[in-house]
Amino acid sequence: MTTSASVPTEGAISRDGGVTDRLVNANERYAAAFSDPGMDARPVLHVAVVACMDARLDLHAALGLELGDCHTIRNAGGVVTDDVIRSLTISQRKLGTRSVVLIHHTGCGLEAITEDFRTELEMEVGQRPAWAVEAFRDVDQDVRQSMQRVRTSPFLLHTDDVRGFVFDVKTGLLREIDPA
């Protein structure tokens, strides 16, 4: 597998604006060959995937997904927060999704920090963040907690097909978590 991390970066990042210019240039090349796929925002498979933002997770490749198949919601840890519930509610009520797949992963950075991170930020910037870090020690238990948050949300119409997994970053395999 080739990633941008494994490709020599000499000349890949412009001196003018850094990595953002690289991304904008890549978009210009993409747009030059782009044709409207004729889709709307409703996912073909009626599924929303909630996953960690970790750069090692290529969700579409790992799950055999194509453009338009799913809604993808990502955040640090892949945890179900109020904002994830907001996105899932819109996904279900306005865009027709019925299934929810939750994906955490091995070696997550949230296992290495604690809620004290908020205090550290407060000491540094003079203001305590309103959000929780959602750090955890047990990835399986955190997947269970996320499944429970989805299943008990009063805002979601479809809570019967909610499944949680841990993605192994060394093997690429998903391991399903029993909700009990």
Side-chain angles (χ1 to χ4, degrees):
M1 174 175 76
T2 301
T3 66
S4 59
S6 64
V7 174
T9 57
E10 187 176 316
I13 298 176
S14 100
R15 294 180 187 161
D16 299 332
V19 71
T20 303
D21 281 344
R22 175 183 171 191
L23 301 176
V24 170
N25 291 335
N27 173 257
E28 289 171 359
R29 291 187 301 276
Y30 171 80
F34 184 80
S35 62
D36 180 359
M39 301 176 189
D40 67 16
R42 295 176 183 274
V44 172
L45 299 179
H46 306 287
V47 63
V49 177
V50 178
C52 186
M53 66 185 191
D54 192 294
R56 296 172 290 181
L57 277 65
D58 183 348
L59 292 174
H60 277 74
L63 301 174
L65 296 168
E66 299 293 330
L67 181 67
D69 281 349
C70 73
H71 283 159
T72 306
I73 304 160
R74 295 181 80 154
N75 67 19
V79 296
V80 175
T81 62
D82 286 345
D83 193 57
V84 168
I85 293 294
R86 177 187 72 87
S87 294
L88 288 172
T89 301
I90 293 165
S91 178
Q92 287 190 357
R93 291 180 174 266
K94 297 298 181 185
L95 298 165
T97 59
R98 302 182 71 76
S99 301
V100 178
V101 173
L102 306 171
I103 301 177
H104 286 34
H105 65 92
T106 58
C108 184
L110 284 186
E111 292 176 288
I113 63 175
T114 68
E115 292 296 321
D116 290 339
F117 180 63
R118 294 173 67 216
T119 303
E120 294 167 15
L121 284 171
E122 181 180 22
M123 299 301 292
E124 182 181 327
V125 302
Q127 182 177 344
R128 187 172 186 82
W131 39 263
V133 174
E134 298 278 355
F136 54 86
R137 293 282 173 254
D138 181 339
V139 68
D140 290 18
Q141 183 55 35
D142 202 65
V143 172
R144 285 186 198 95
Q145 175 178 289
S146 289
M147 284 190 283
Q148 185 65 15
R149 287 178 178 174
V150 171
R151 287 187 172 130
T152 59
S153 174
F155 306 111
L156 299 175
L157 295 171
H158 308 287
T159 58
D160 54 328
D161 188 10
V162 178
R163 294 172 64 185
F165 301 85
V166 174
F167 177 87
D168 187 314
V169 298
K170 301 287 188 204
T171 67
L173 288 173
L174 289 175
R175 178 174 51 83
E176 188 158 10
I177 302 302
D178 184 345

